Amino acid sequence: PLGPSPLHKEHQFQFQMMEAAYYHLPQPCDSEKLTTYLHRQPVQTPLHYPQTQLPHSDTVEFFQRLSTETLFFVFYYMEGTKAQYLAAKALKKQSWRFHTKYMMWFQRHEEPKIINDDYEQGTYIYFDYEKWGQRKKEGFTFEYKYLE
Amino acid sequence: MGQDLTGLGLNLNSQENLHPTFAGPFADQPCRAQDIEHNVPPEYLVN
Amino acid sequence: CDDPPGLQEKTEYLLKDWFQIYFTQINGRDPVKAFGMFINKMNMYGILKTDDMITRFIRQGTQFCIELSYRNLNDPQISQGVAKTKIFQCIDAYVRLIALLVRHSGDVGNPNMKINLLNKVLGIVLGILLQDQELRSTSFQQLGYHRFFIMLFLELSAPDPVLENLMLNIVTAFCHTYHLLNPSTAPGFCYSWLELISHRVFIGRILAQIPQQKGWSMYSQLLMDLFKYLAPFLRNAELAKPVQLLYKGTLRVLLVLLHDFPEFLCDYHFGFCDVIPPNCIQMRNIILAAFPRNMRLPDPFTPNLKVDMLPETATAPRIYTDYVKNIQPLMFKKDLDSYLKARAPVTFLSELRGHLQISNEPGSRYNIPLMNALVLYVGTQAIIHIRSKNLVPNMTTIVHSAHMDIFQNLAVDLDNEGRYLFLNAIANQLRYPNSHTHYFSCAVLYLFVEANSEAIQEQITRVLLERLIVNRPHPWGLLITFIELIKNPVYKFWEHEFVHCAPEIEKLFESVARSCM
């Protein structure tokens, strides 16, 4: 039985200000740190594209099913995020190891010829993020002080 | 009748807490893994 | 005003120098070293000499960033995306400087200097925002301020042993600022404000990480600010789009709280119901439907459910709102207590409505907080009184008492509007199994069966029904009360004419009844 109640003068002013603010609303990226790539800025895609996230897409198990290339993309283009963290975990589970000086991922191509307390030496596959591809490197010395 | 509150983009049956991935009051999707800042080793900050 | 000559130029020069350092150092291995060098330069320019100079520098620096924001936002030559990136680069750098100044001011053992500086900075930005909103009116833009507040909070929430120890002080400083910046005061900032207080990191800090729930009371204050602002707009059912967006955003925040922090909603429900307009049925239901996560609710539709046998009905719920202070004036509270004690003077009952009615303006005749506080206070006193006789509240023990005199008087003496608010005050207590839910469930059913007019019975039905026909969630206490009303033949529910007043109403009752049987 309360029915509508008339807006007082101050409410009308508040409404005008709110209405003005309505036309430049905060966007998701306004509350996120600047990223080099892939800002958090939803873009309307054709409705027949999947509009919701894949289920469990923020778990290591999900990332382990991604291709190695995809993991490298996530690692280098989503840095500082949970996605990068999960991609790194998935890579490690596939015996990739991060070289903190070259900032590249290496994987043994065969048993190293030399292994001692300081380093191992042999043939490796590594992912070159500048040329964006996997390369083979023979006679490479992986110093353990650079093993992440 | 109010709104169908299951249609506001929140997984109300989630076993996990919602707030760590809450994308904000005006977003109708939770944050994705790439939206959530994470403390990664500084060496990962390649850029 | 009266800034020393050249301060503005100095500030701009220093800021541009800092931006240079920040961008070359952005992911630098040692940002603190760069900061140390810059501090020496600030010292050289006399910025850190006195508190007053630091204040002036921060005001100048903030104004520099805000003006840069407006310049870029209003520059037709550049896209919004480019404008935002330029604005964010500047403000993020400025915020980093502020965060480092806060982090490194005073020695580690002296947190006060850090927190005083943080409060000073927040106060300066707050002051500039309010002045800017007043000067620019509907041309006011929130972006720069939004960026400043969220980035400063994220910087000060970064994992850092010194800041970690200050987290309660830091969150308190931001809560204080956001409370002063509430939407009623800064309506041009309302959307950003809701973003800020519901940001995942902010919620995580204030409701989950600060020990002993010390942030809960502050957060309830911020939600009260939001409900107070929304109330007049929500009272009028058709919502303009700007209101609808803010309302929908509020629902999302409440759903996150219901899911992750139901105990928070349980503890502060009373204060929220005081300010949420009575016609916001669903929003209020979200709050009333909350129940402690360690509690298992029996299915309300369980046949022959014996609510008074549930152990939880012996326990009073936590209510952290000081509602008794709303029972004013003091003389009225004294008369109330003496009536509850001695059921005298009888005149107290006939004067009751006079205390509750504050105007003759239809729709706002009554003092709602007083009504809510009176009902809860009388109900809690009734439970204490019944227990003092080693009895438990039930349909027999709650009758023939000063407490029920008051409720029955209110049911009979108030007009439609007043009785609606009175019945709402009772229905707001029908929540999860606890002693209040049980008592008020018995009370409203007793008022139904003892009503001396069908109008009262119809209105009781309406108040319960309007809370049930909205989309979920529905509070457990509401469901068990309504089921009891329509199932127990003692209420002769189906014999009332209003139950058959229209085919769709009759169908509705039958569908509810079917789901109960």
Side-chain angles (χ1 to χ4, degrees), chain B residues 1-6 8-28 31 35-37 39 42-43 45 47, chain C residues 27 29 154 159 191-192 194-195 198 200 203-204 208 244-253 255-256 259-261 282 286 293 469-473:
Chain B
M1 302 299 280
Q3 331 234 349
D4 172 6
L5 299 179
T6 59
L8 293 180
L10 295 165
N11 176 7
L12 301 175
N13 297 317
S14 161
Q15 293 306 309
E16 310 289 319
N17 271 342
L18 298 180
H19 71 274
T21 57
F22 183 48
F26 309 117
D28 48 20
C31 282
D35 298 326
I36 306 277
E37 253 202 272
N39 294 314
E43 298 85 2
L45 302 176
N47 281 301
Chain C
N27 282 320
R29 304 293 186 236
L154 293 179
Y191 296 107
S192 287
L194 184 56
E195 280 266 0
S198 66
R200 59 183 182 276
I203 284 187
Q244 191 150 37
L245 182 72
L246 200 62
Y247 172 67
K248 209 165 176 180
T250 304
L251 292 181
R252 283 198 177 95
V253 175
L255 287 171
V256 171
H259 184 280
D260 293 5
F261 307 100
Q282 185 179 40
I286 295 176
R293 275 169 298 188
I469 58 177
V470 293
N471 277 310
R472 291 180 303 161

Side-chain angles (χ1 to χ4, degrees), chain C residues 121-358:
Chain C
V121 168
L122 293 172
I124 290 168
V125 178
L126 163 68
I128 292 174
L129 187 156
L130 293 178
Q131 189 184 51
D132 183 14
Q133 179 187 239
E134 190 163 332
L135 292 176
R136 282 188 163 89
S137 182
T138 51
S139 308
F140 169 80
Q141 296 252 12
Q142 80 239 356
L143 182 73
Y145 303 100
H146 176 115
R147 188 71 182 179
F148 179 87
F149 284 121
I150 190 62
M151 283 302 136
L152 184 58
F153 186 77
L154 293 179
E155 286 275 354
L156 296 177
S157 302
D160 172 298
V162 171
L163 296 173
E164 203 56 41
N165 289 333
L166 296 177
M167 194 28 70
L168 177 56
N169 307 76
I170 290 169
V171 167
T172 303
F174 276 87
C175 277
H176 185 61
T177 305
Y178 292 160
H179 174 51
L180 294 172
L181 250 183
N182 68 72
S184 302
T185 310
F189 193 67
C190 66
Y191 296 107
S192 287
W193 187 87
L194 184 56
E195 280 266 0
L196 293 171
I197 72 156
S198 66
H199 190 273
R200 59 183 182 276
V201 176
F202 188 74
I203 284 187
R205 283 289 188 186
I206 193 167
L207 295 179
Q209 292 151 34
I210 288 179
Q212 294 117 40
Q213 300 164 356
K214 284 183 182 162
W216 284 22
S217 169
M218 291 188 284
Y219 200 69
S220 74
Q221 172 68 58
L222 295 177
L223 285 182
M224 294 282 280
D225 290 337
L226 175 60
F227 296 140
K228 283 174 187 164
Y229 174 70
L230 278 170
F233 304 110
L234 297 181
R235 256 307 278 282
N236 302 317
E238 62 288 338
L239 303 184
K241 277 202 174 306
V243 178
Q244 191 150 37
L245 182 72
L246 200 62
Y247 172 67
K248 209 165 176 180
T250 304
L251 292 181
R252 283 198 177 95
V253 175
L254 289 176
L255 287 171
V256 171
L257 297 177
L258 178 64
H259 184 280
D260 293 5
F261 307 100
E263 294 83 358
F264 167 75
L265 294 179
C266 294
D267 293 353
Y268 291 93
H269 92 284
F270 189 88
F272 298 153
C273 290
D274 253 1
V275 292
I276 290 176
N279 61 308
C280 282
I281 311 280
Q282 185 179 40
M283 183 156 87
R284 186 180 50 205
N285 271 356
I286 295 176
I287 292 164
L288 299 180
F291 60 89
R293 275 169 298 188
N294 62 357
M295 190 177 275
R296 288 286 153 264
L297 301 193
D299 179 346
F301 297 111
T302 311
N304 308 320
L305 175 64
K306 292 275 172 283
V307 173
D308 44 1
M309 305 308 281
L310 293 176
E312 291 86 357
T313 48
T315 310
R318 292 190 318 193
I319 294 186
Y320 281 151
T321 313
D322 176 13
Y323 62 89
V324 179
K325 75 173 178 347
N326 288 343
I327 303 181
Q328 297 290 344
L330 225 47
M331 200 54 216
F332 171 59
K333 174 70 167 48
K334 273 177 58 136
D335 292 347
L336 170 62
D337 283 331
S338 64
Y339 185 81
L340 290 176
K341 201 168 171 182
R343 242 172 149 175
V346 179
T347 53
F348 173 75
L349 293 178
S350 55
E351 291 157 5
L352 206 39
R353 173 169 172 173
H355 286 288
L356 292 163
Q357 188 157 354
I358 47 177

Side-chain angles (χ1 to χ4, degrees), chain C residues 31-46:
Chain C
V32 179
K33 186 165 144 249
F35 171 66
M37 286 159 29
F38 183 71
I39 279 293
N40 294 333
K41 189 172 272 189
M42 287 181 82
N43 251 329
M44 239 163 52
Y45 280 78

Side-chain angles (χ1 to χ4, degrees), chain A residues 40 53 79-80 82-84 148, chain B residues 23 30 33 36 38 44 46-47:
Chain A
R40 190 186 145 214
Q53 298 168 52
E79 71 174 32
K82 187 172 178 191
Q84 182 188 42
E148 185 253 326
Chain B
I36 306 277
H38 203 280
Y44 285 6
V46 172
N47 281 301

